[in-house]
Each structure stands twice: as C-alpha cells, then as structure tokens.
Amino acid sequence: MATTGLPNWPWSNAEADALPPAERLAIDATRAWAAAERRGESTLLALRRLLSTEDAVAAAEPLDALLRTLAQHPLTVGCPLCPRLVGEEPALLLAIACAQRGPRREALAFLLRRLPPAQAYAATAAAIAFGCAFRRAGLRLRDPWSN
C-alpha cells in the first residue's frame, strides 16, 4: 500500500483537546511515556498510572513496546500540554487505529515508513496488542478515514 501522496493525513495538526476520548488517551499516554523517558523514569509505570484511569492498564505493555521500537529512530512527540498533535503523533494514531479496526496491512505500511521491516513487524504486533487491550477496556479508536 502506498502511503505517500495521501491528500489529507488524518489527525494532522489536530487539536489535542478536540480528539475523541480513546485517541486523546492514546496521545496522553504517548506523551507521558516520552516525558518519563526524558526524565529517566520508568516509562511503563508512567503508562500504567495514566491508563489505569480508564481501566486500560493492559494496554501499557504493548504501548511501551511499540514506543520503544519507534524510539530506536528519532521520535518527535509533544509535551503533555502541547495544544496540537506534533511530529509522529498523527501517524502513530493512524497506525494504532488501523491495527485496532482491522486493516492491519495499512498499520504495517505506516510503520514501514519509519522502521526497517523487522522492526516494523514487531511494532505492528505491539500496535495490534495495544488496540485489543484498548477495545477490551471499551476504548474504540475511530475509523481514521471517516469524516
């Protein structure tokens, strides 16, 4: 699947406060992970603390694995208070939404834009596990291609 030349990337330049609840939680968790990583603290603990607010603690380990894989290359994530999505945040939301909602080959394609094949496959597995854990917690990401 070609991932270049898309007319409009979902969530590009979106306001963080305007995101649906599941997407906002995923971005908040990603930002908490990045902040903990910068401070040298436990990223998994930061994720568990935040995800427990929505009974989604099971999503902490897969998200940690996904973000660790992505962070092997420069990863731009906003601070916890950034008003808009920045850097790789829109693409990350797109990948996890596709992984959760079924078009997993698209999730892999988006991850292949950033990672070599072996790492992209590992990241896809983590994205699928994250999506499943979110779904079990009642958090369903919206279809990124619907308006």
Side-chain angles (χ1 to χ4, degrees):
M1 172 188 169
T3 58
T4 57
L6 292 174
N8 186 19
W9 277 79
W11 296 296
S12 290
N13 204 30
E15 290 184 24
D17 287 338
L19 293 172
E23 285 80 358
R24 180 59 198 248
L25 181 60
I27 287 301
D28 287 347
T30 299
R31 290 175 173 183
W33 182 93
E37 178 74 16
R38 283 190 297 273
R39 291 188 305 262
E41 297 173 359
S42 169
T43 55
L44 194 53
L45 181 59
L47 289 175
R48 286 182 178 145
R49 215 177 294 139
L50 183 62
L51 294 172
S52 68
T53 63
E54 295 294 329
D55 294 327
V57 175
E61 287 187 32
L63 183 57
D64 186 58
L66 173 61
L67 294 172
R68 283 187 186 285
T69 302
L70 288 169
Q72 292 176 15
H73 303 277
L75 178 66
T76 303
V77 175
C79 70
L81 299 177
C82 282
R84 296 195 170 280
L85 298 187
V86 299
E88 282 76 40
E89 292 174 338
L92 175 64
L93 276 181
L94 189 56
I96 61 175
C98 287
Q100 183 189 56
R101 296 187 61 89
R104 293 173 177 167
R105 69 181 179 274
E106 282 87 352
L108 174 62
F110 296 120
L111 293 168
L112 280 167
R113 293 187 70 208
R114 290 201 30 84
L115 301 168
Q119 291 175 345
Y121 278 102
T124 301
I128 292 168
F130 173 78
C132 290
F134 248 39
R135 184 175 297 201
R136 283 191 302 275
L139 298 163
R140 187 172 173 132
L141 298 158
R142 75 173 178 85
D143 181 354
W145 306 116
S146 68
N147 291 325

